[in-house]
């Protein structure tokens, strides 16, 4: 079968392609951002506050100074593909900065055009990228009946956007890449926990490209740049489900050359689309000082206090488990990152004590790290009622907290005991007596533990971890926080839902919402950008980023040496 091949769209001459990237690389703030994956349309099980409309995409891109985007429609997968593809292209006509992604599948059932006709229709509507969803649409990419479609995409070098799951998993993705070596493939939606599957594939498949929407790996762009993969890295946000500003912050703060940043932000995508690009570099002229600082790659001009940090031993890049790889996750890497983004302090706990269930070693690691930390940082301790008796805990708890640099309590669900169980009471009683605070990752699907504990131990500030991870979680946090003034919400989680921080503030006010990153499990820059590029007033952003944490540590701040108090808090003592 003959296809239209390279004649389908005129290729950008090499010197022009280089100029496209070079023009965007003059300085950080002028970098052109071109989003490779936005997605609109109705979806199942949507929370009423979740954004989904085309206007939501347009507004978010303009707010975040993102010049354009490829846009997919959920209906192209959940309804008739070609009907919805054409509908999408028609919807985007008024927006020269937006370009349709069509969903395609084999033509034999009459739901999609045959390959030659499909290519002609794509050319007519200037569509240069497609999604394939074999899992969701119920077809087998390995079948002989799929070869005509995939050979067409291969022959024409059409950008294919998909997920490993849609192709059948990581082994199947590797098979697909081996079989179709001319299809530029962009994998979106991979999670940071899947690094051990995805990173090795980049080595052997130069036509494989990845985005970082959920692949929020610590120092990921820096690591992959050093490995020589800068041409395979693509900016994509999955807005309006996710915050686009969160993802551009990851690129803006990347410690890589400007030319590489320009490629990741938009240059690589322009190349894969054979020159298709936004007509102008769009800039939000009403951005505040924090947004401007991020786009300029400078530390924020307001103090940042991170209320959710972990720590590995120096020199480690991982922590075992199913996929706990954390590039440069020891003290040197973490504190250098803190300085870069303007973080002046915060509370950190171990990883091995929390997730690896070795509480004693984890507390020792925190203590050793505090011995070498910059100013402004303090420790959270972990105690385990399953490996140690109540008598042992009765001795261990006051012994550790004799070190005044420890003011936090960090239990974890991997210990398998609900936090309101009597075996934890010895710790909570000590915390209540000494006015400590607790960071709570619930063991349950609800917040019953926080509800019970906030009432029983009123002198502890109970900080709900990951309270902004989803709208249902936010609803539960709102309910319990409206009952108890000693409950706070810490935001961090991979999904960075668009609008959810504003949603929390709308229902609770801005005085008990806290910034946290969960680094180095996740890179902190997406979490930071999530707040910075929210639609909140500047004063509210500053409270969440660095002021509100004072209310959490204030009752026990007298325990901290002055060295471990964030500098801007010293003025309030």
């Amino acid at each position: 079968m003959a296809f239209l091949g390279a004649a389908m769209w005129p290729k950008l001459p090499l010197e022009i392609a280089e100029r496209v990237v070079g023009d965007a690389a003059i300085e950080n703030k002028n970098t052109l951002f071109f989003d490779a994956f936005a997605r609109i349309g109705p979806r199942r099980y949507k929370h009423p506050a979740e954004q989904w409309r085309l206007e939501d995409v347009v507004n978010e891109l303009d707010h975040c100074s993102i010049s354009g985007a490829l846009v997919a429609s959920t209906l192209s997968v959940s309804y008739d593909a070609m009907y919805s593809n054409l509908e999408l292209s028609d919807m985007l006509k008024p927006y020269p900065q937006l370009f349709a992604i069509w969903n395609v599948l084999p033509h034999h059932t009459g739901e999609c055009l045959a390959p030659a006709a499909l290519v002609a229709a794509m050319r007519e509507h200037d569509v240069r990228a497609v999604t394939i969803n074999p899992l969701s649409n119920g077809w087998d990419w390995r079948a002989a009946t799929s070869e005509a479609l995939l050979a067409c995409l291969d022959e024409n070098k059409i950008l294919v956007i998909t997920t490993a799951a849609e192709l059948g998993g990581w082994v199947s993705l590797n098979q697909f890449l081996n079989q179709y070596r001319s299809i530029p493939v962009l994998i979106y939606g991979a999670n940071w926990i899947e690094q051990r599957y995805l990173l090795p594939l980049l080595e052997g498949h130069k036509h494989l490209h990845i985005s970082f929407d959920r692949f929020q790996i610590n120092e990921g762009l820096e690591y992959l740049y050093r490995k020589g993969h800068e041409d395979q890295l693509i900016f994509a946000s999955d807005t309006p489900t996710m915050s686009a500003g969160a993802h551009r912050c990851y690129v803006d703060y990347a410690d890589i050359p400007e030319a590489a940043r320009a490629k990741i932000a938009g240059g690589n995508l322009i190349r894969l689309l054979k020159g298709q690009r936004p007509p102008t570099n769009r800039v939000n002229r009403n951005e505040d000082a924090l947004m401007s600082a991020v786009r300029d790659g400078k530390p924020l001009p307001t103090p940042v206090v991170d209320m959710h940090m972990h720590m590995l031993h120096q020199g480690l890049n991982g922590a075992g488990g199913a996929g706990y790889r954390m590039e440069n996750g020891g003290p040197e890497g973490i504190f250098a990152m803190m300085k870069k983004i303007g973080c002046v302090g915060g509370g950190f706990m171990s990883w091995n004590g929390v997730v690896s269930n070795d509480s004693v070693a984890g507390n020792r690691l925190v203590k050793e790290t505090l011995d070498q930390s910059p100013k402004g940082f303090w420790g959270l301790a972990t105690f385990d009622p399953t490996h140690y008796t109540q008598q042992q805990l009765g001795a261990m708890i006051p012994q550790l907290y004799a070190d005044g640099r420890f003011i936090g309590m960090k239990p974890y669900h991997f210990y398998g005991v609900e936090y309101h169980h009597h075996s934890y009471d010895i710790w909570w009683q000590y915390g209540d007596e000494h006015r400590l605070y607790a960071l709570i990752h619930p063991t349950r699907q609800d917040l019953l533990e926080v509800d019970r504990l906030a009432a029983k131990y009123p002198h502890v500030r109970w900080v709900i971890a990951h309270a902004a991870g989803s709208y249902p979680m936010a609803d539960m946090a709102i309910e319990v926080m409206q009952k108890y003034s000693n409950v706070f919400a810490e935001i961090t989680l991979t999904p960075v839902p668009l609008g959810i921080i504003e949603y929390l503030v709308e229902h609770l006010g801005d005085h008990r919402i806290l910034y946290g990153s969960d680094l180095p499990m996740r890179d902190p820059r997406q979490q930071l950008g999530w707040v910075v590029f929210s639609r909140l007033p500047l004063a509210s952003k500053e409270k969440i980023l660095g002021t509100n944490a004072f209310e959490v540590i204030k009752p026990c701040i007298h325990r901290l040496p002055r060295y471990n108090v964030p500098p801007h808090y010293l003025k309030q003592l």
Side-chain angles (χ1 to χ4, degrees):
M1 179 179 291
F3 303 117
L4 293 178
M8 177 180 169
W9 298 287
K11 277 193 175 182
L12 212 61
L14 180 59
E15 67 276 8
I16 298 178
E18 290 175 344
R19 190 163 67 245
V20 166
V21 174
D23 287 345
I26 295 172
E27 58 176 302
N28 208 31
K29 186 164 283 188
N30 290 336
T31 301
L32 183 142
F33 275 77
F34 185 9
D35 192 336
F37 192 75
R39 179 166 43 179
I40 62 172
R43 63 205 67 192
R44 299 170 183 171
Y45 315 118
K46 189 189 85 68
H47 187 279
E50 197 175 342
Q51 300 184 43
W52 61 284
R53 297 178 177 88
L54 176 58
E55 65 190 65
D56 297 325
V57 170
V58 173
N59 291 338
E60 176 69 355
L61 297 180
D62 285 347
H63 178 70
C64 299
S65 298
I66 296 170
S67 298
L70 298 183
V71 181
S73 169
T74 60
L75 291 173
S76 294
V77 180
S78 65
Y79 192 57
D80 182 84
M82 284 309 303
Y83 177 92
S84 300
N85 289 339
L86 294 169
E87 181 181 55
L88 174 64
S89 287
D90 190 57
M91 290 175 62
L92 299 184
K93 283 180 180 178
Y95 304 97
Q97 75 276 28
L98 303 180
F99 310 92
I101 306 170
W102 281 8
N103 181 46
V104 299
L105 59 156
H107 67 282
H108 307 283
T109 57
E111 300 167 277
C112 192
L113 297 174
L118 174 64
V119 169
M122 291 176 62
R123 185 177 187 183
E124 177 185 354
H125 294 276
D126 201 17
V127 174
R128 308 194 187 188
V130 301
T131 60
I132 58 172
N133 293 276
L135 177 63
S136 296
N137 286 147
W139 57 278
D140 186 352
W141 71 264
R142 301 175 188 82
T145 51
S146 301
E147 289 181 5
L149 170 65
L150 298 177
C152 172
L153 300 176
D154 192 66
E155 173 74 16
N156 288 278
K157 297 180 173 61
I158 295 172
L159 175 61
V160 169
I161 303 173
T162 190
T163 68
E166 288 291 344
L167 295 176
W170 295 106
V171 173
S172 295
L173 172 60
N174 189 41
Q175 294 170 347
F176 185 92
L177 294 168
N178 282 327
Q179 187 167 344
Y180 297 102
R181 294 184 173 274
S182 294
I183 294 179
V185 175
L186 170 59
I187 294 296
Y188 76 94
N191 194 279
W192 54 266
I193 207 168
E194 296 175 299
Q195 293 179 66
R196 296 172 190 155
Y197 297 105
L198 183 50
L199 294 180
L201 292 178
L202 290 173
E203 298 284 347
H205 302 289
K206 297 303 180 184
H207 57 305
L208 172 62
H209 305 78
I210 60 172
S211 68
F212 299 87
D213 49 332
R214 292 166 181 81
F215 200 59
Q216 298 169 19
I217 64 176
N218 196 55
E219 296 192 15
L221 297 183
E222 292 85 352
Y223 170 78
L224 291 167
Y225 171 78
R226 293 194 303 271
K227 296 285 286 184
H229 297 305
E230 64 183 84
D231 293 333
Q232 297 169 268
L233 312 180
I234 304 288
F235 168 69
S237 73
D238 200 6
T239 200
T241 300
M242 304 182 82
S243 161
H247 301 308
R248 78 155 294 157
C249 186
Y250 190 60
V251 181
D252 284 317
Y253 274 137
D255 189 12
I256 57 178
E258 291 295 342
R261 187 191 328 280
K263 286 183 178 183
I264 297 166
N268 286 337
L269 181 59
I270 293 169
R271 170 175 52 81
L272 295 175
L273 297 176
K274 306 178 179 70
Q276 190 178 59
R277 59 170 290 164
T280 59
N281 194 345
R282 301 167 74 93
V283 175
N284 178 4
R285 301 300 179 186
N286 297 314
E287 67 184 3
D288 61 34
L290 304 185
M291 297 160 67
S292 180
V294 168
R295 291 203 308 113
D296 221 15
K298 296 179 179 178
L300 293 187
T302 189
V304 177
V305 176
D306 192 332
M307 292 296 283
H308 193 147
M309 297 180 284
H310 293 274
M311 190 69 64
L312 304 184
H313 288 85
Q314 181 58 39
L316 298 189
N317 295 314
Y324 297 133
R325 184 189 177 278
M326 309 171 208
E327 178 70 16
N328 204 12
E332 288 184 9
I334 287 176
F335 292 130
M337 178 70 76
M338 296 296 92
K339 182 177 181 181
K340 180 175 181 61
I341 64 178
C343 183
V344 299
F348 64 86
M349 64 223 78
S350 68
W351 183 268
N352 57 333
V354 176
V355 182
S356 304
N357 297 81
D358 191 354
S359 60
V360 171
N363 291 336
R364 185 166 58 247
L365 170 60
V366 174
K367 188 179 181 71
E368 292 169 354
T369 303
L370 286 169
D371 290 340
Q372 57 182 304
S373 77
K375 293 180 179 180
F377 294 88
W378 63 85
L380 289 87
T382 299
F383 291 101
D384 170 13
T386 65
H387 288 80
Y388 298 95
T389 67
Q390 292 290 294
Q391 183 178 4
Q392 288 172 317
L393 292 176
M396 295 164 67
I397 291 171
Q399 182 180 18
L400 183 71
Y401 284 112
D403 184 339
R405 299 173 300 177
F406 284 87
I407 59 173
M409 302 182 285
K410 174 59 178 178
Y412 202 56
H413 63 94
F414 279 10
Y415 286 114
V417 178
E418 293 186 351
Y419 304 141
H420 57 296
H421 187 266
H422 63 82
S423 62
Y424 272 114
D425 285 350
I426 190 171
W427 193 9
W428 306 145
Q429 289 167 3
Y430 186 93
D432 194 66
E433 179 182 349
H434 294 274
R435 306 302 195 264
L436 306 181
Y437 79 93
L439 180 63
I440 298 295
H441 181 143
T443 69
R444 305 164 51 97
Q445 296 300 308
D446 57 30
L447 292 177
L448 175 66
E449 295 160 313
V450 176
D451 194 312
R452 295 272 182 88
L453 293 171
K456 188 174 182 180
Y457 302 104
H459 298 119
V460 173
R461 279 77 59 226
W462 300 94
V463 178
I464 304 168
H466 315 300
S470 70
Y471 279 96
M473 180 62 174
D475 285 336
M476 291 190 292
I478 289 166
E479 182 179 0
V480 72
M481 290 173 69
Q482 287 175 338
K483 292 176 63 176
Y484 304 105
S485 61
N486 61 329
V487 179
F488 292 72
E490 180 271 316
I491 61 169
T492 183
L493 207 61
T494 303
V496 292
L498 179 62
I500 199 169
I501 301 175
E502 297 92 324
Y503 182 79
L504 285 168
V505 170
E506 177 186 353
H507 289 84
L508 296 167
D510 60 8
H511 59 294
R512 283 189 288 157
I513 315 300
L514 307 169
Y515 166 72
S517 68
D518 217 355
L519 70 81
M521 184 183 75
R522 271 183 298 275
D523 192 283
R525 289 168 286 194
Q526 277 104 337
Q527 309 300 308
L528 188 72
W530 189 17
V531 180
V532 168
F533 286 93
S534 71
R535 311 301 172 86
L536 294 173
L538 177 60
S540 295
K541 295 179 185 179
E542 291 176 336
K543 286 183 179 180
I544 294 168
L545 289 171
T547 303
N548 292 343
F550 179 75
E551 297 304 318
V552 176
I553 70 169
K554 182 179 177 181
C556 55
I557 201 169
H558 64 280
R559 295 171 50 86
L560 284 176
R562 288 180 65 85
Y563 184 90
N564 298 95
V565 177
H568 65 303
Y569 290 170
L570 291 172
K571 302 174 184 178
Q572 303 182 55
L573 299 181

